[in-house]
Amino acid sequence: MAEFAAESQAPSAARHFWRGLHGALRVALDLALPPLCPSCREPLGDGIGLCADCWSKLSFIEPPYCARLGIPFLYDPGPGLLSMEAIADPPAYDRARSAVRYDDVARALVHRFKYSDRLDLAPLMGGWMARAGRELLAEADALVPVPLHWRRAWARRFNQSAALAGAISEASGVPVVHGALKRVRATVQQVGLSKAQRAENVQGAFRVPPEEKPQVAGRRLVLVDDVLTSGATVDTCARALLRAGAGHVDVLTFARVVSPARTTI
Ligand SMILES: [Zn+2]
């Protein structure tokens, strides 16, 4: 048993070393090479954000949109109007807002941010989110990032929702409550699942630990995540927060999937 433990530690230490070296090399390379556009990988002139071409392709979500779900409308039906989706299948949360449509540029940006340790993108993305969610943030007591399961957080080394929440907090002054939500079981990746499967996959996956209830009870919270697809994850999170006594739950994501039929005029 002891032998097995010693053996299993050795490769892990080596992996740690190579990972560290890899990180150090990347920092050295980043310093030596001109910064690249996180979307198309072309060198950036001024070194911040996206290149002009990708910037022009990014599709920011602006009013008119559904007052509840934040889905863009083709035409302006007047203030406070709800989409068919919001009426037919109202979510547990009150309102959702997103900075951009989840199209090719947004997908590339999220991917670099999530899987390539491009934490430097957080202030940019968080700034756009703070702008898109300003009416929500004006009334909010705290931000709650959607948690990763620890195994996935370990593999990825950071929680992208927490990083975005930190950046939104910087921009808006609304504090972040870490640990208010816990993922109590691992879920499979939502990619490729139907809407019903997504809901089933995340059902009961989150809860508020008893010792965190005072952070939640009676408060106005904004859930933060990177992408809203079917809304199943944030809906389950909102249910857990409301069950723990939250006064109000809104949702703010960087991007949201908008059906191609909803093209702006
Ligand atoms: Zn670009």
Side-chain angles (χ1 to χ4, degrees):
M1 214 39 206
E3 245 176 53
F4 173 74
E7 251 175 40
S8 69
Q9 262 167 17
S12 141
R15 207 163 44 228
H16 218 83
F17 170 76
W18 286 115
R19 211 178 253 177
L21 187 64
H22 181 239
L25 279 174
R26 184 154 50 195
V27 169
L29 279 173
D30 281 352
L31 291 174
L33 296 170
L36 302 179
C37 170
S39 175
C40 68
R41 313 297 287 154
E42 286 295 313
L44 278 179
D46 58 4
I48 15 164
L50 294 163
C51 74
D53 191 38
C54 291
W55 179 271
S56 70
K57 285 188 209 141
L58 203 59
S59 179
F60 287 90
I61 296 177
E62 305 280 354
Y65 47 59
C66 166
R68 192 82 197 271
L69 299 178
I71 300 174
F73 283 137
L74 292 171
Y75 62 95
D76 194 348
L81 237 87
L82 300 180
S83 58
M84 288 305 291
E85 291 91 330
I87 295 162
D89 190 13
Y93 50 84
D94 194 66
R95 295 168 293 180
R97 298 290 182 266
S98 308
V100 298
R101 289 169 183 248
Y102 194 51
D103 54 17
D104 291 343
V105 178
R107 188 177 295 113
L109 208 53
V110 168
H111 206 266
R112 297 258 176 253
F113 176 58
K114 217 159 151 170
Y115 302 108
S116 313
D117 290 348
R118 286 294 308 269
L119 264 179
D120 57 302
L121 293 173
L124 180 75
M125 296 163 77
W128 293 337
M129 291 168 78
R131 188 174 152 270
R134 56 193 176 279
E135 47 167 348
L136 278 48
L137 296 166
E139 302 168 353
D141 294 320
L143 305 170
V144 177
V146 170
L148 278 178
H149 189 263
W150 64 268
R151 240 175 290 157
R152 207 171 290 160
W154 178 252
R156 212 181 278 160
R157 281 180 287 163
F158 80 100
N159 176 357
Q160 73 278 1
S161 306
L164 291 174
I168 297 166
S169 182
E170 284 280 313
S172 66
V174 180
V176 185
V177 173
H178 292 284
L181 273 176
K182 263 213 150 57
R183 205 180 270 255
V184 287
R185 60 178 177 80
T187 51
V188 298
Q189 297 268 18
Q190 297 276 66
V191 177
L193 300 182
S194 72
K195 195 178 179 202
Q197 284 170 329
R198 281 168 186 264
E200 196 183 327
N201 182 34
V202 293
Q203 198 181 18
F206 302 90
R207 72 181 174 92
V208 177
E211 68 276 14
E212 299 292 340
K213 282 194 179 160
Q215 302 248 56
V216 166
R219 304 188 81 194
R220 294 183 69 94
L221 305 171
V222 176
L223 265 167
V224 176
D225 207 357
D226 54 354
V227 182
L228 191 151
T229 307
S230 71
T233 301
V234 284
D235 196 65
T236 311
C237 289
R239 279 176 208 282
L241 291 169
L242 291 166
R243 250 198 321 269
H248 183 104
V249 180
D250 288 319
V251 171
L252 183 54
T253 69
F254 171 67
R256 80 162 295 140
V257 172
V258 178
S259 96
R262 293 180 181 274
T263 317
T264 42
I265 33 170

